[in-house]
């Protein structure tokens, strides 16, 4: 076959694929618009693999299974996608001819059962929408979602093993999932397999649910998830401490992890303090909504008054300018007294470790509105592009990891200066683990995904910046080196593997990888489900 014959065949195959998808989903739910294909071929990682061939937006489980059947017949790779708020290539096609399956039309809350304390959702729902639906309910999923929850979906959180706000992580309250497998089967796991009408416990036979968590969409398309609800906390206590020294702040964070009473504990540094106190004053209606939410979430009038006083005494957070580092904590309890008593144990630890009490205004406001505007974290104060990386180790390894990062960035200071790169870090503790997110910044054009998350003001100020390929390459190289030279020796975990983190190389037991290959072969013999994810080609 000549080159032009091959091109003509590819074009005809593509047209037939699009036609078949359109027949299944209807006109408005299949796109070959080059602008959208480009948007689905980049993420915050700034790396390029292949360009998406078509975007399909299923509205039901049958649609998802229909897309899988078409892909199977035509040998087209599939790439499941939520909001693509990851930065590890999970949603970026690795092969030409890929169908991107945008799950966000499947965003229904299917069932809230207050007798059995469960909520069942379609996986395209965002954490913000789920939170809004449960706002007036006495029950909640105590894991509240990732910081990116204004856009990020439940399905993306399952694909990435989301951590973030609230107790535990996305698996802590998960009872089961429904997954459309690439081989055509529709699998229900956990309690959804035992009794889909009344899901209760997962402990009956091997737990298949976790097989599909942090699989980066490599084993199937999750269509449904069921979570356990719990009565909302009867009381919440907030406290924050300022530190001149990062090491002391991290010592407190680690101690908070060990004490095990905090629902949330974050450490912010000078850069994020600037982000927070540099925010423009919110318009009156937003401020009123914030105050109402804080009052509603407080246990009783006295406590509402205390929280509002604590919020307002922080003013516009200018006091953060005096502290390079702050530890921000929330403790929930069955009632206010229990929350306050548990917070007292954190206060003693903070006193011992040299923390100076500061108004907990930031953490009170963030608990009320936990999902930060994406643009604030993904575009720097001066319009820089950025990518975060996440790395989680045991509490005992945390400080050594921090020192290794210090040395890494110190050694590369000249390189970073020469390329206009800067870096900052966020820290958090989840259960018995120490998490760090180093973020690298550089000046560059906004790629289409970044541009899509900018509000009007930032679009006007930063939307048309010129490209800076040299700085971008330098930032990419710096990130890659950090992952291999600093993170890897600590044998860390990464909550979003995607096609970026060296998952295969991290399997110190080779049987672990071969077992995963066996499972992949069993459910996806043609290897069409998100090729490259987890390193499974
Ligand atoms: C500003 C910001 C803050 C963030 N904060 C946090 C945080 O606090 N905690 C945290 O853990 N992460 C955080 N992240 C990372 C990321 O946003 C989260 O992991 C989030 O859960 C991703 O959701 P998503 O819908 O965007 O998923 P996507 O990025 O669209 O997808 C993630 C992975 O899951 C797969 N996938 C998506 N939907 C499905 C489905 N239905 N079935 C099968 N596979 C699927 C995709 O193929 C991909 O591999 C943050 C990111 C940003 C930009």
């Amino acid at each position: 076959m000549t080159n032009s014959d091959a091109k003509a065949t590819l074009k005809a195959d593509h047209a037939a694929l699009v036609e078949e998808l359109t027949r299944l989903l209807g006109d408005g739910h299949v796109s070959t618009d080059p602008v959208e294909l480009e948007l689905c071929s980049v993420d915050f990682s700034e790396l390029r693999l292949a360009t998406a061939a078509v975007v399909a937006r299923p509205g039901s489980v049958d649609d998802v299974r229909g897309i899988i059947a078409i892909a199977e017949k035509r040998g087209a790779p599939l790439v499941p996608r939520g909001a693509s708020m990851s930065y590890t290539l999970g949603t970026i096609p690795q092969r030409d001819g890929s169908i991107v399956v945008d799950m966000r039309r499947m965003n229904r809350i299917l069932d809230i059962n207050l007798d059995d304390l469960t909520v069942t959702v379609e996986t395209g729902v965002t954490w913000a929408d789920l939170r809004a639906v449960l706002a007036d309910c006495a029950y909640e999923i105590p894991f509240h979602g990732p910081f990116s929850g204004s856009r990020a979906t439940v399905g993306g959180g399952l694909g990435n093993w989301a951590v973030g706000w609230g107790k535990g992580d996305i698996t802590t309250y998960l009872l089961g999932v429904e997954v459309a497998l690439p081989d055509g089967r529709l699998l229900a796991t956990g309690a959804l397999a035992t009794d889909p009408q009344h899901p209760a416990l997962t402990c009956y036979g091997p737990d298949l649910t976790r097989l599909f968590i942090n699989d980066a969409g490599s084993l199937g398309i999750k269509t449904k998830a069921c979570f356990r609800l719990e009565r909302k906390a009867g009381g919440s206590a907030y406290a924050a401490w300022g530190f001149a020294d990062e090491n002391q702040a991290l010592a407190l964070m680690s101690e908070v992890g060990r004490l095990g009473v905090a629902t949330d504990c974050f450490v912010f540094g000078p850069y994020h303090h600037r982000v927070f106190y540099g925010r423009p004053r919110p318009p009156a209606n937003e401020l009123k909504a914030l105050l109402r939410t804080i009052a509603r979430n407080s246990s009783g009038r006295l406590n509402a008054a205390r929280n509002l006083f604590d919020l307002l005494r922080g003013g516009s957070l200018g006091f953060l300018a005096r502290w390079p580092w702050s530890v921000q904590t929330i403790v929930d309890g069955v009632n206010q007294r229990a929350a306050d008593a548990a917070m007292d144990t954190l206060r003693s630890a903070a006193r011992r470790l040299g923390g100076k009490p500061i108004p907990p205004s930031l953490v009170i406001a963030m608990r009320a509105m936990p999902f930060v505007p994406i643009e604030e974290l993904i575009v720097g104060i001066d319009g820089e592009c950025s990518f975060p990386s996440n790395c989680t180790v045991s509490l005992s390894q945390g400080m050594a990891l921090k020192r290794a990062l210090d040395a890494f960035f110190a050694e590369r200071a000249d390189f970073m200066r020469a390329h206009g790169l800067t870096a900052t870090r966020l820290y958090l503790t989840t259960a018995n683990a120490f998490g760090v997110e180093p973020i690298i910044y550089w000046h560059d054009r906004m790629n289409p995904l970044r541009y899509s998350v900018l509000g009007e003001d930032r679009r006007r100020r930063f939307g048309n910046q010129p490209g800076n390929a040299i700085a971008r390459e330098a930032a990419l190289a710096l990130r890659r080196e950090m992952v291999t030279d600093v993170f890897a020796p600590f044998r860390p975990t990464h909550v979003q593997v995607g096609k970026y983190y060296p998952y295969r190389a991290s399997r110190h037991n080779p049987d672990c990888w071969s077992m995963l290959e066996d499972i992949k072969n069993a459910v996806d013999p043609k290897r069409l489900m998100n090729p490259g994810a987890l390193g499974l080609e």
Side-chain angles (χ1 to χ4, degrees), residues 100-343:
V100 170
V101 185
D102 180 341
M103 293 297 290
R104 287 173 298 175
R105 254 180 88 209
M106 292 183 60
N107 59 1
R108 288 177 304 160
I109 310 286
L110 298 170
D111 183 46
I112 298 176
N113 182 334
L114 295 184
D115 289 329
D116 289 338
L117 299 184
T118 57
V119 56
T120 307
V121 300
E122 289 183 329
T123 51
V125 70
T126 65
W127 293 96
D129 286 346
L130 182 52
R131 180 182 167 82
V133 167
L134 293 171
D136 293 323
C137 179
Y139 295 86
E140 64 174 2
I141 307 170
F143 172 70
H144 301 149
F147 275 55
S148 52
S150 60
R151 286 171 185 253
T153 64
V154 167
L158 296 167
N160 278 355
W161 201 312
V163 297
W165 283 108
K167 288 189 198 158
D169 57 54
I170 190 164
T171 64
T172 313
Y173 298 88
L174 185 63
L175 292 179
V177 291
E178 179 185 84
V179 195
L181 298 177
D183 64 8
R185 284 178 286 185
L186 185 67
L187 176 74
T189 70
L192 287 180
T194 310
D195 183 350
Q197 300 308 317
H198 303 283
L201 289 179
T202 51
C203 52
Y204 197 23
D207 182 3
L208 287 185
T209 306
R210 284 190 178 220
L211 185 58
F212 295 89
I213 309 304
N214 211 349
D215 72 335
S218 62
L219 298 179
I221 301 185
K222 287 166 227 52
T223 46
K224 206 189 266 183
C226 175
F227 294 93
R228 181 161 65 81
L229 293 171
E230 236 178 49
R231 185 167 270 284
K232 284 180 181 163
S236 302
Y238 305 89
W241 298 274
F243 285 89
D245 177 22
E246 184 180 0
N247 290 323
Q248 275 180 300
L250 295 180
L252 176 58
M253 184 187 86
S254 303
E255 184 61 8
V256 170
R258 287 192 188 97
L259 288 168
V261 294
T263 308
D264 294 292
C265 177
F266 308 109
V267 174
F268 295 121
Y271 179 87
H272 287 101
H273 284 176
R274 260 179 75 204
V275 170
F276 295 130
Y277 66 72
R279 275 178 180 165
R281 208 183 149 73
N285 58 335
E286 273 179 36
L287 188 62
K288 265 194 205 153
L290 175 68
L291 299 181
R292 262 200 310 271
T293 309
I294 293 169
R296 191 183 57 203
N297 292 350
S298 302
S299 57
R301 284 203 188 148
L302 200 64
N303 193 250
R306 180 173 87 170
N307 289 338
L308 293 174
F309 173 74
D310 273 343
L311 177 89
L312 296 172
R313 83 188 161 100
S316 49
L317 301 174
F319 65 90
L320 286 175
R322 292 200 299 277
W323 295 104
W325 296 92
S326 68
V327 178
Q328 310 275 342
T329 59
I330 304 176
V331 171
D332 295 312
V334 285
N335 54 36
Q336 194 58 46
R337 191 186 293 185
D340 288 339
M343 184 56 92

Side-chain angles (χ1 to χ4, degrees), residues 429-440:
T429 174
T430 309
N432 62 337
F434 179 108
V436 57
E437 269 203 23
I439 308 174
I440 297 170

